[in-house]
Amino acid sequence: MSSKKEINTFSDYFNDEARVSPADRERINFEIALIGKMIEAREQKGLSQRELAEMSGVKQPAIARLESMRATPQIDTLFKVLHPLGYTIEIVPLAHDNTVSLTR
Amino acid sequence: MSSKKEINTFSDYFNDEARVSPADRERINFEIALIGKMIEAREQKGLSQRELAEMSGVKQPAIARLESMRATPQIDTLFKVLHPLGYTIEIVPLAHDNTVSLTR
DNA sequence: ACGTCTGATAACAAAAATGTTATCATTGAT
DNA sequence: ATCAATGATAACATTTTTGTTATCAGACGT
């Protein structure tokens, strides 16, 4: 039998410690969740990317890049985008898990 | 009497709506508070910038730049720095004001 | 006096985000 | 069929962050 790991899907790759470290995986999952909430908040407000761009001062292509995760925002950019959506960022202790449900 | 505003101190400048918009002021205050918590957390752990650099993978000059607010971190950098300190970032509704006290 | 550790910073390269302008395909409404 | 609005993206300039390497002055202990 071969000792090679089966790497066929992205999930296989992503969960292979030899390729993506646990720390990286955790950070990437964090970013996915963060951006997901950002998108959810915008759509819940019924805002288009262009409208949010107008309100936040962040240009529409930049917002599109963030939402499609082609860029990692700086905290000031994230703040500008979240604010018109009624959200902000906070530092919280790890494992506190006070997940914010946007569908209140 | 003159209608000119007195602008003598930085505080005067910072609170002059004609120079710093309320939105900018709010974002800047947010960043100051954020960085303050980051510094507080590091010092509470008794870590030097070099030790934190080692643990987080963010270089010491970069950490120094963040702490002295000569740079605005990207969220992945902030995440990397906060994680060894036992903190993470979360999106929370505005005016929720669940301030995290680091002196538990 | 000496050595060590600290945070700050200089100088430059490298990488990345954001702005700018424009366009595209798709969807939905009329 | 046409039109308007949407999100995505292309291409490039600009700005900024981060890395890299090295050094500095100050604090502190021995």
Side-chain angles (χ1 to χ4, degrees), chain A residues 25 38 60-61 76 103:
Chain A
R25 194 159 44 242
M38 194 179 99
Q60 180 267 331
D76 59 340
T103 59

Side-chain angles (χ1 to χ4, degrees), chain A:
Chain A
M1 63 210 174
S2 161
S3 64
K4 261 199 214 151
K5 282 186 196 140
E6 298 264 350
I7 302 281
N8 296 314
T9 67
F10 175 71
S11 182
D12 291 338
Y13 185 94
F14 189 62
N15 290 300
D16 181 3
E17 280 200 20
R19 315 218 181 203
V20 181
S21 75
D24 284 346
R25 194 159 44 242
E26 192 167 356
R27 196 185 66 255
I28 292 167
N29 281 329
F30 156 77
E31 288 175 20
I32 292 172
L34 190 86
I35 298 301
K37 284 180 186 174
M38 194 179 99
I39 298 173
E40 201 182 338
R42 178 178 65 79
E43 291 180 342
Q44 195 176 320
K45 289 254 174 191
L47 294 174
S48 69
Q49 288 183 351
R50 273 172 243 266
E51 288 170 324
L52 181 54
E54 178 83 17
M55 297 168 77
S56 64
V58 178
K59 302 301 174 188
Q60 180 267 331
I63 293 176
R65 277 186 297 242
L66 297 189
E67 291 194 353
S68 56
M69 298 197 67
R70 281 168 174 76
T72 301
Q74 297 175 227
I75 59 168
D76 59 340
T77 302
L78 185 60
F79 184 89
K80 285 190 231 172
V81 169
L82 286 180
H83 225 243
L85 299 175
Y87 291 91
T88 188
I89 319 162
E90 268 188 10
I91 295 184
V92 299
L94 272 176
H96 188 265
D97 201 2
N98 47 358
T99 307
V100 174
S101 168
L102 299 187
T103 59
R104 193 187 301 242

Side-chain angles (χ1 to χ4, degrees), chain B residues 74-85:
Chain B
Q74 296 174 227
I75 59 169
D76 60 339
T77 303
L78 185 60
F79 183 90
K80 286 189 230 173
V81 169
L82 286 180
H83 224 242
L85 298 176

Side-chain angles (χ1 to χ4, degrees), chain B residues 25-103:
Chain B
R25 194 159 46 241
E26 193 168 357
R27 196 186 64 257
I28 293 168
N29 281 329
F30 156 78
E31 287 175 21
I32 292 173
L34 190 86
I35 298 301
K37 284 180 185 174
M38 194 179 98
I39 298 174
E40 201 181 340
R42 178 177 67 79
E43 292 180 342
Q44 196 175 318
K45 290 253 173 192
L47 294 174
S48 68
Q49 288 183 352
R50 272 173 245 268
E51 288 169 324
L52 181 55
E54 178 83 19
M55 298 166 77
S56 64
V58 178
K59 304 300 175 186
Q60 181 266 332
I63 293 176
R65 278 185 297 241
L66 297 188
E67 291 194 354
S68 55
M69 297 195 68
R70 281 169 175 77
T72 301
Q74 296 174 227
I75 59 169
D76 60 339
T77 303
L78 185 60
F79 183 90
K80 286 189 230 173
V81 169
L82 286 180
H83 224 242
L85 298 176
Y87 291 91
T88 189
I89 318 162
E90 269 187 10
I91 294 183
V92 298
L94 271 177
H96 189 265
D97 201 3
N98 46 359
T99 306
V100 174
S101 168
L102 298 186
T103 58

